[in-house]
C-alpha cells in the first residue's frame, strides 16, 4: 500500500477512537446475545446484571430442543418450511433478476428504459406501501396460507435487478459479440457467459435476500401452524416470559448466526459488487 | 429510411402506406423478442406484486372499502379525513418526520463516516470492522435484545446499571413512558441502519483511483478534509445517491422496531409511525380505502424526498 498523503496523526487518533467507541456500541448487543445463550439460569437473573457469562452451559439449547419436542408441530417441520422459503426464494430471485437484468444492461429495445426506471423508482419506497393491495392480490390468487405468498413476491425484489444490471454493464460487449458469432443464441449467452461472469453479484443478492427470508415469520399471509417458519416458532417460545429467558437467548443466537456466517463467507465478493452499485440511469 | 426518400422523389405514384410508428415499434419488439422472454418472469411478478398494487392503492384511496361490501366512491373524503380529523395520523406523521429528519441523515452520515474511517485501516481489520458494523442489520430480528436492555424492572440492563452506580433509585419503565419511547426506537433504528448503503460506500471508497489523490496533493490539497470534499466525495457520487435512496426509504418505513419494542399501539401512540397507522387501519380495522390513502401519502412523501435529495447530492464537491 502506498504511503497515505495529507494525514495528521492527531485527527487519525481521534477518528479511530471514535470508530472504536461506536464499534463497541454496534457489537455489544450481539456479544451479549451470544453470551446470554450460554448462561445458566441463575446467571441470567443475577443482580446487578452481568454482561459476560461465567460458567458457560449448553442447558438453554437442551431446553429448547426439549420444548420443541413437546410442541404440537415438530421442530423439523418449521425448519423445513424456512428452508423451502429461503432456498427457493433466494435461488429463484438470483435467476429471475439476472435473466431480466441481462437485456436491460446490454441492449436497447422498446420499453427497456421505461421498465428500468420503474424498477429504480420502486427502490424509493418501501414494501409497506403495497401491503394492503398485496393481501387482496394474494387472496384473489388463492395464495393465502401457502408458501407461495412469501416466495413469489420475493422473487422480484427491485434491489436485486438493479444491482445485477449495474454489475452486468461491466461485462465487455466483445465477449457477447464473440459468442454470437460462434452461433450462441441469447439464452445460451445468458446462461454460459453472463451468469458465470457475475458470480460476485449472485453472492450479493444472496446476502441481501437470505436474511430477509430467513427472518420472515409469514407476515399476514400464513396462518396455519403447519406452515409457519422457524423464526415464528422460536419467537413464540421466546415470548414465553421470564421462565423461558434462557431458551429465548438460545433462539436469538440461532437466528442471528446463520446470516452472519453467510456474510463472513461471501464478504469480499459482496463488496466487489457494491462498488458498481451506482444510482445512475 | 431508404424507402421514404425514394417515395419523396417520385410524386404522383401510388404510395405504399407509410409505416406507422406503432408498427415500427412492433417490428422492433419482434426483433428483440428474446429479451422480452428473458425479462418476462421477473417483470410479470414485479408488476403483479409491486407496480399494480401501487396503482391499485392509489385508486382504492378514493373509495370506501371494507373487504365485505362493494367499494363505494367517496372522492377526496379519505384524504380530508386523514389530514383534517385524524389526530393520531398527525402524531404518526410527526413521529415519521422526526425519524426522517434525525435518523435518516444521521445514519446516512454514519454510513459514510464509518466507511471512510474503515477504509484507512489495513485489509484484515477492515474486514472485521465491516462485519461489526454490518452485522446488526443482517442479524434478523435480534433487536429484541434491546428489550432486555430497556426492560422496565431492575433486571433491565440500563436500569440495573443506573441503579448500581447510584444515578437513580427506582427503575424507569423505559418502553411504556411516552418521554422515552421515541428516543429508544431511534437508537435501535440507528443501530440497525448501517446496511446496504454502508456496504456500497465501503466498496465505492475502495474503487477510488489513488493517482487522483496523488494528483490532488500536488495541486495543493492540504488535509484530509479537502481531499474528502474535492476528490473522495465526487468520485463516489453514484454510491452516495444509491445510499441516500436506501437510507431515506428505510427511515420513513420504521414500523417493525416500534411494534417490537413499544407494542402496537404504543402508549399514547408515542411510537406510532405512518406505517403502523397504515397497519392499524389495514389489518385491524379493515378500512382498506382509508389505509390506501395513508399508503399513497407515504408513497408521495418517500418519492418526493428521494427526488429532492438526489438533486441536492448532485451539488456535492462543486
Amino acid at each position: 500500500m502506498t504511503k497515505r498523503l495529507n494525514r495528521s496523526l492527531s485527527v487519525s487518533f481521534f477518528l479511530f477512537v471514535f470508530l472504536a467507541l461506536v464499534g463497541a456500541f454496534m457489537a455489544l448487543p450481539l456479544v451479549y446475545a451470544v453470551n446470554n445463550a450460554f448462561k445458566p439460569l441463575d446467571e441470567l437473573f443475577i443482580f446487578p446484571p452481568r454482561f459476560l457469562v461465567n460458567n458457560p452451559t449448553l442447558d438453554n439449547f437442551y431446553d429448547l430442543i426439549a420444548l420443541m419436542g413437546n410442541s404440537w408441530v415438530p421442530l423439523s417441520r418449521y425448519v423445513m418450511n424456512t428452508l423451502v422459503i429461503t432456498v427457493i426464494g433466494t435461488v429463484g430471485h438470483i435467476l429471475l433478476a439476472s435473466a431480466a437484468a441481462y437485456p436491460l444492461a446490454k441492449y436497447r429495445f422498446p420499453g427497456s428504459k421505461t421498465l428500468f426506471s420503474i424498477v429504480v423508482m420502486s427502490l424509493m419506497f418501501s414494501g409497506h406501501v403495497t401491503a394492503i393491495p398485496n393481501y387482496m392480490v394474494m387472496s384473489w390468487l388463492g395464495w393465502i396460507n401457502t408458501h407461495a405468498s412469501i416466495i413469489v413476491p420475493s422473487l422480484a425484489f427491485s434491489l436485486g435487478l438493479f444491482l445485477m444490471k449495474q454489475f452486468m454493464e461491466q461485462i465487455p460487449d466483445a465477449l457477447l459479440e464473440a459468442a454470437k458469432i460462434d452461433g450462441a443464441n441469447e439464452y445460451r449467452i445468458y446462461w454460459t457467459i453472463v451468469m458465470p461472469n457475475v458470480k460476485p453479484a449472485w453472492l450479493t443478492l444472496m446476502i441481501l435476500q437470505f436474511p430477509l427470508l430467513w427472518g420472515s415469520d409469514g407476515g399476514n399471509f400464513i396462518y396455519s401452524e403447519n406452515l409457519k417458519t422457524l423464526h415464528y416458532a422460536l419467537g413464540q417460545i421466546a415470548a414465553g416470559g421470564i421462565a423461558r429467558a434462557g431458551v429465548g437467548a438460545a433462539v436469538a443466537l440461532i437466528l442471528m448466526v446463520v446470516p452472519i456466517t453467510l456474510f463472513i463467507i461471501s464478504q469480499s465478493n459482496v463488496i466487489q459488487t457494491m462498488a458498481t452499485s451506482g444510482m445512475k440511469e | 429510411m431508404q424507402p421514404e426518400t425514394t417515395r419523396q422523389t417520385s410524386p404522383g405514384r401510388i404510395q405504399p402506406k407509410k409505416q406507422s410508428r406503432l408498427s415500427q415499434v412492433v417490428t422492433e419488439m419482434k426483433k428483440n423478442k428474446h429479451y422480452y422472454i428473458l425479462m418476462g418472469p421477473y417483470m410479470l411478478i414485479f408488476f403483479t406484486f409491486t407496480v399494480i398494487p401501487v396503482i391499485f392503492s392509489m385508486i382504492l384511496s378514493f373509495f370506501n372499502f371494507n373487504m365485505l361490501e362493494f367499494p363505494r366512491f367517496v372522492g377526496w373524503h379519505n384524504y380530508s379525513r386523514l389530514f383534517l380529523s385524524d389526530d393520531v395520523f398527525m402524531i404518526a406523521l410527526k413521529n415519521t418526520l422526526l425519524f426522517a429528519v434525525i435518523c435518516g441523515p444521521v445514519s446516512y452520515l454514519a454510513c459514510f463516516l464509518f466507511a471512510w474511517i474503515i477504509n484507512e485501516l489495513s485489509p484484515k481489520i477492515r474486514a472485521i470492522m465491516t462485519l461489526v458494523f454490518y452485522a446488526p442489520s443482517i442479524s434478523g430480528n435480534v433487536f429484541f435484545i434491546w428489550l432486555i436492555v430497556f426492560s422496565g424492572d431492575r433486571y433491565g440492563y440500563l436500569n440495573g446499571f443506573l441503579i448500581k452506580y447510584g444515578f437513580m433509585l427506582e427503575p424507569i419503565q423505559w418502553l411504556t413512558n411516552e418521554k422515552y419511547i421515541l428516543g429508544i426506537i431511534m437508537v435501535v433504528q440507528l443501530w440497525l441502519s448501517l446496511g446496504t448503503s454502508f456496504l456500497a460506500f465501503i466498496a465505492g471508497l475502495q474503487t477510488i483511483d489513488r493517482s487522483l489523490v496523488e494528483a490532488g496533493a500536488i495541486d495543493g490539497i492540504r488535509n484530509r478534509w479537502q481531499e474528502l470534499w474535492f476528490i473522495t466525495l465526487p468520485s463516489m457520487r453514484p454510491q452516495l445517491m444509491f445510499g441516500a435512496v436506501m437510507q431515506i426509504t428505510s427511515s420513513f418505513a420504521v414500523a417493525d422496531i416500534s411494534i417490537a419494542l413499544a407494542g402496537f399501539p404504543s402508549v399514547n401512540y408515542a411510537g406510532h409511525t405512518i406505517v403502523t397507522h397504515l397497519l392499524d387501519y389495514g389489518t385491524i380495522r379493515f378500512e382498506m380505502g382509508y389505509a390506501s390513502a395513508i399508503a399513497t401519502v407515504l408513497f408521495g412523501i418517500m418519492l418526493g424526498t428521494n427526488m429532492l435529495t438526489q438533486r441536492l447530492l448532485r451539488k456535492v464537491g462543486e
Side-chain angles (χ1 to χ4, degrees), chain B residues 17 49 91 135:
Chain B
K17 206 177 165 201
F49 296 104
I91 300 175

Side-chain angles (χ1 to χ4, degrees), chain A residues 30-59:
Chain A
L30 296 177
V31 173
Y32 168 74
V34 173
N35 272 287
N36 232 19
F38 296 102
K39 278 182 191 168
L41 205 57
D42 55 332
E43 266 187 68
L44 278 170
F45 293 108
I46 208 165
F47 181 83
R50 199 174 284 147
F51 196 79
L52 296 175
V53 56
N54 270 349
N55 305 304
T57 160
L58 286 173
D59 283 354

Side-chain angles (χ1 to χ4, degrees), chain B residues 180-194:
Chain B
Y180 304 113
I181 291 176
L182 204 60
I184 290 172
I185 299 173
M186 279 181 183
V187 168
V188 179
Q189 164 73 12
L190 285 175
W191 180 69
L192 275 169
S193 68
L194 298 185

Side-chain angles (χ1 to χ4, degrees), chain A residues 1-8 11-12 15-16 18-20 22-23 25-27 29-30 32-33 36 39 45-51 93 96-97 99-100 102-104 107-111 115 118-119 121-126 128-138 140-141 143 152-153 155-159 161-163 180 186-187 190 207-208 211 215 220 231 238 242 248 251-252 255-256 259-260 263-264 267 270-272 274-280, chain B residues 25 28-29 32-39 41-43 45-51 53-54 56-57 60 65 67 113-114 116-121 126-127 129-136 138-142 144-146 148 154-157 160 163-164 187 190-191 194 196 199-200 202-204 206-207 210 213-214 217 221-225 227 238-239 241-242 245-246 249 253 255-256 275 278-279 282-283 288 291-292 295 298-299 302-303 306-307 310:
Chain A
M1 185 130 249
T2 47
K3 192 173 163 285
R4 296 204 171 266
L5 302 150
N6 318 317
R7 292 291 181 268
S8 79
V11 177
S12 287
L15 285 178
F16 294 143
F18 183 57
L19 181 76
V22 182
F25 168 74
M26 299 301 283
L30 296 177
Y32 168 74
N36 232 19
K39 278 182 191 168
F45 293 108
I46 208 165
F47 181 83
R50 199 174 284 147
F51 196 79
H93 176 61
L96 292 197
Y102 162 55
L104 288 176
Y107 304 101
R108 285 193 169 192
F109 48 92
L115 284 174
I118 293 176
V119 173
M121 210 191 233
S122 76
L123 282 176
M124 297 182 190
F125 58 85
S126 95
H128 292 290
V129 170
T130 57
I132 286 151
N134 255 338
Y135 182 83
M136 293 180 195
V137 172
M138 289 300 171
W140 286 330
L141 289 168
W143 283 1
V152 177
L155 297 181
F157 282 153
S158 35
L159 186 57
L161 175 79
F162 176 76
L163 290 176
K180 250 177 233 166
E186 290 298 341
Y187 309 103
Y190 157 67
I207 206 66
L208 293 175
N220 289 320
H231 186 270
I242 286 184
V251 163
L255 286 178
M256 68 184 234
I260 291 179
F263 177 68
I264 295 174
Q267 191 179 32
V270 169
I271 285 177
Q272 194 186 334
M274 282 295 184
T276 61
S277 63
M279 189 79 182
K280 53 185 182 214
Chain B
V25 171
E28 186 73 2
M29 282 174 86
N32 294 311
K33 70 168 188 289
H34 299 299
Y35 305 141
Y36 294 104
I37 295 172
L38 276 171
M39 291 196 310
Y42 180 93
M43 286 301 167
I45 298 171
F46 177 69
F47 272 77
T48 315
F49 296 104
T50 306
V51 179
V54 168
F56 190 72
S57 187
L60 203 60
F65 182 42
M67 304 278 285
L113 185 65
F114 293 117
W116 184 57
I117 304 176
I118 285 173
N119 193 48
E120 312 230 323
L121 304 169
R126 190 195 299 155
M129 289 314 282
T130 308
L131 179 68
V132 165
F133 281 86
Y134 187 60
I138 49 164
S139 57
N141 300 6
V142 289
F144 62 73
I145 292 166
W146 290 92
I148 305 164
R154 286 152 63 93
Y155 297 115
Y157 273 60
I163 291 172
K164 186 181 169 193
V187 168
L190 285 175
W191 180 69
L194 298 185
T196 322
L199 282 190
I202 291 211
Q206 283 177 26
T207 56
R210 290 300 305 172
V213 179
E214 276 150 32
I221 282 180
R222 283 189 309 279
N223 54 43
R224 74 174 90 206
W225 309 109
E227 183 189 309
Q239 279 87 15
M241 297 262 191
F242 173 72
V245 168
M246 295 281 114
T249 310
D256 299 344
V275 175
L278 170 71
L279 293 175
T283 60
M288 296 306 184
S292 297
L298 181 64
F299 176 76
M302 282 177 171
L303 219 56
N306 270 307
M307 302 280 182
Q310 296 212 14

Side-chain angles (χ1 to χ4, degrees), chain B residues 146-158:
Chain B
W146 290 92
L147 280 176
I148 305 164
V149 176
F150 291 110
S151 168
D153 50 28
R154 286 152 63 93
Y155 297 115
Y157 273 60
L158 192 59

